Amino acid sequence: MLGATAGATGVAAWQYKGARGLLKLPAPDDSAGTGELLPRFASTDGGLVIGSHADIGVLEPRETRVWRGPSAPHLVAGGAGHALEGAAAAGRDGRVVFGAGTSAGRRPWYWLADHDHAAFIDGAPAGTRFRIGGASADGNLLAGSLQKPAAGSGAESWETFVWTPFTGLVELRAPINGLEPEVAAWQDLAVLGVSADGRRVVIGDHPDSVNGGAGRLALLRLTPRNW
């Protein structure tokens, strides 16, 4: 269990580890990062914790940091030293983490804890807005939505996608069009959940769409393609 508590001296991040009780996570030993540092994901054994800076009450995570044991958390950076922002999903053991931006702009990424290695997810035009919806338990599948020009108009719409190391980024419009006509006609969609095995994805109205909050949901079953 992870959490943070606000006090007179600021916000303290903590981790609950069963018999060991509540353990305070060390604060960063530098001044990098904007807002409070909040823990978000942890490995199965609790030895690895991933967090991100954010203002309290704002759901826009910024710089990503990693705690390993009792050490102060280190900043996770990608190519050219840009801080990786918006950590939004992780595999069950916390060793694969996904996010949707960097300090240099919008670009989705993944980070591998075992090698402390980060890489970018390609397959969409530069500057595309992304929303991470979830990941499979083993971290081999990421699902979310991206904003792109709507077919036949200059307006932009949100389309869902999945990504795996084997397939790259694959939009889900084709399988959605194979559902019943009412669902196939939906626009501005978001991924709202992913099953542990990555073979089922819950889609629905994107929060930023005109239908945001309408509550429409559909279950999309994926045919494995080496994932």
Side-chain angles (χ1 to χ4, degrees):
M1 182 185 296
L2 304 171
T5 304
T9 59
V11 173
W14 51 262
Q15 177 183 24
Y16 181 75
K17 299 187 71 172
R20 297 183 62 188
L22 201 67
L23 304 177
K24 182 179 178 180
L25 294 169
D29 55 10
D30 57 51
S31 58
T34 305
E36 306 295 347
L37 180 56
L38 308 176
R40 295 176 60 83
F41 311 105
S43 60
T44 305
D45 62 7
L48 178 75
V49 177
I50 300 94
S52 58
H53 291 270
D55 291 330
I56 299 299
V58 178
L59 300 178
E60 286 291 337
R62 301 189 182 100
E63 299 89 349
T64 303
R65 286 185 180 266
V66 176
W67 285 273
R68 292 180 184 271
S71 303
H74 74 270
L75 199 64
V76 178
H82 297 306
L84 300 182
E85 299 182 343
R92 180 175 292 166
D93 64 2
R95 298 188 179 277
V96 183
V97 181
F98 297 96
T102 75
S103 56
R106 299 165 180 162
R107 196 174 180 189
W109 52 266
Y110 63 91
W111 176 78
L112 304 176
D114 290 343
H115 307 287
D116 197 8
H117 169 75
F120 293 111
I121 295 172
D122 294 317
T128 300
R129 291 179 64 194
F130 285 84
R131 182 182 189 275
I132 303 301
S136 60
D138 62 8
N140 279 331
L141 181 139
L142 169 71
S145 52
L146 57 89
Q147 194 176 41
K148 59 183 294 187
S153 73
E156 293 186 323
S157 66
W158 287 93
E159 290 289 345
T160 53
F161 72 88
V162 294
W163 174 91
T164 79
F166 306 102
T167 65
L169 190 149
V170 179
E171 291 188 31
L172 296 177
R173 176 48 60 182
I176 290 173
N177 286 343
L179 299 175
E180 44 276 17
E182 179 185 353
V183 177
W186 291 358
Q187 300 293 326
D188 282 328
L189 299 177
V191 170
L192 303 176
V194 179
S195 65
D197 62 6
R199 297 190 181 190
R200 293 175 298 280
V201 173
V202 177
I203 61 173
D205 291 309
H206 194 283
D208 292 344
S209 74
V210 294
N211 293 317
R216 299 184 302 185
L217 297 173
L219 180 66
L220 189 63
R221 299 180 185 274
L222 304 178
T223 301
R225 294 168 53 184
N226 292 326
W227 62 53

